[in-house]
Amino acid sequence: SMLDSSMVDSLRQYVGYNKVQIVDGLLKKEQQEIEMDFNAIAQGYSSDMMADFLSSKGIEHYLVDIGGEVIAKGNKPNGDSWIVGIEKPAEDKYSEQKVDIKINLKDMSVVTSGNYRKYYENNGVKYSHTINPFTGFPVSHTLLSVSVLAPKAWEADAMATAFMVMGLEKSIEFLKDNPLYEAYFIYNDE
């Protein structure tokens, strides 16, 4: 069932990075009801761990893809660059995957976050799986997906989720001040 505004408001007291701290190597929470959820970076972090393992074994050329969180090092066996496709937003989670653009990827990670395959539907209305921490409700804006390039997949994963919350305009402003990251946005407009 859907949460109403009063239920969401009652839970928002437990949301925010500023409600936890690390003291003498231990996690200290303001309230015991606070929970930690690393789902926004879990697959990216897993991709990084696999890449680090391969590199530790002296492997210099590989492509790691865990759930769409991709890391490319070196080149393909024929010497060409790794090519990764960024998916067009689909009508729904059952739609056939189609590539919007292809990018060359070398010694870099790319992660895409979107609301077109992961959503909750109630009475014919689609609700994003991405929750805006400031409102407690699913994000609602013109941004359909964002793909982020970053040195580490966990960073790209975190930034892609953050951009989905921030929306297009705020994300572009952030990128102007943080040239370490690149992003490809797909959005609705008139």
Side-chain angles (χ1 to χ4, degrees), residues 103-122:
I103 58 171
N104 289 330
L105 198 64
K106 183 173 183 173
D107 301 334
M108 190 65 69
S109 301
V110 65
V111 172
T112 298
S113 184
N115 291 322
Y116 51 92
R117 289 204 184 269
K118 293 180 184 173
Y119 56 84
Y120 167 76
E121 194 166 342
N122 187 38

Side-chain angles (χ1 to χ4, degrees), residues 49-164:
M49 296 300 292
M50 180 60 70
D52 290 346
F53 173 77
L54 294 172
S55 293
S56 77
K57 298 299 179 191
I59 299 170
E60 297 174 3
H61 305 277
Y62 56 80
L63 183 81
V64 174
D65 178 352
I66 299 179
E69 279 67 355
V70 180
I71 299 173
K73 292 286 184 190
N75 298 304
K76 296 190 324 190
N78 66 3
D80 291 348
S81 295
W82 296 104
I83 298 174
V84 177
I86 294 177
E87 183 182 355
K88 280 185 182 177
E91 284 296 312
D92 59 46
K93 57 189 162 195
Y94 306 110
S95 297
E96 181 183 343
Q97 288 181 305
K98 294 180 181 166
V99 173
D100 193 53
I101 64 161
K102 295 177 182 176
I103 58 171
N104 289 330
L105 198 64
K106 183 173 183 173
D107 301 334
M108 190 65 69
S109 301
V110 65
V111 172
T112 298
S113 184
N115 291 322
Y116 51 92
R117 289 204 184 269
K118 293 180 184 173
Y119 56 84
Y120 167 76
E121 194 166 342
N122 187 38
N123 296 327
V125 178
K126 292 179 184 175
Y127 296 93
S128 168
H129 77 288
T130 305
I131 304 298
N132 182 330
F134 300 105
T135 66
F137 286 96
V139 296
S140 176
H141 48 61
T142 60
L143 195 52
L144 299 176
S145 86
V146 59
S147 300
V148 176
L149 280 82
K152 290 286 191 179
W154 75 263
E155 286 179 275
D157 217 351
M159 295 313 306
T161 300
F163 290 161
M164 286 303 298

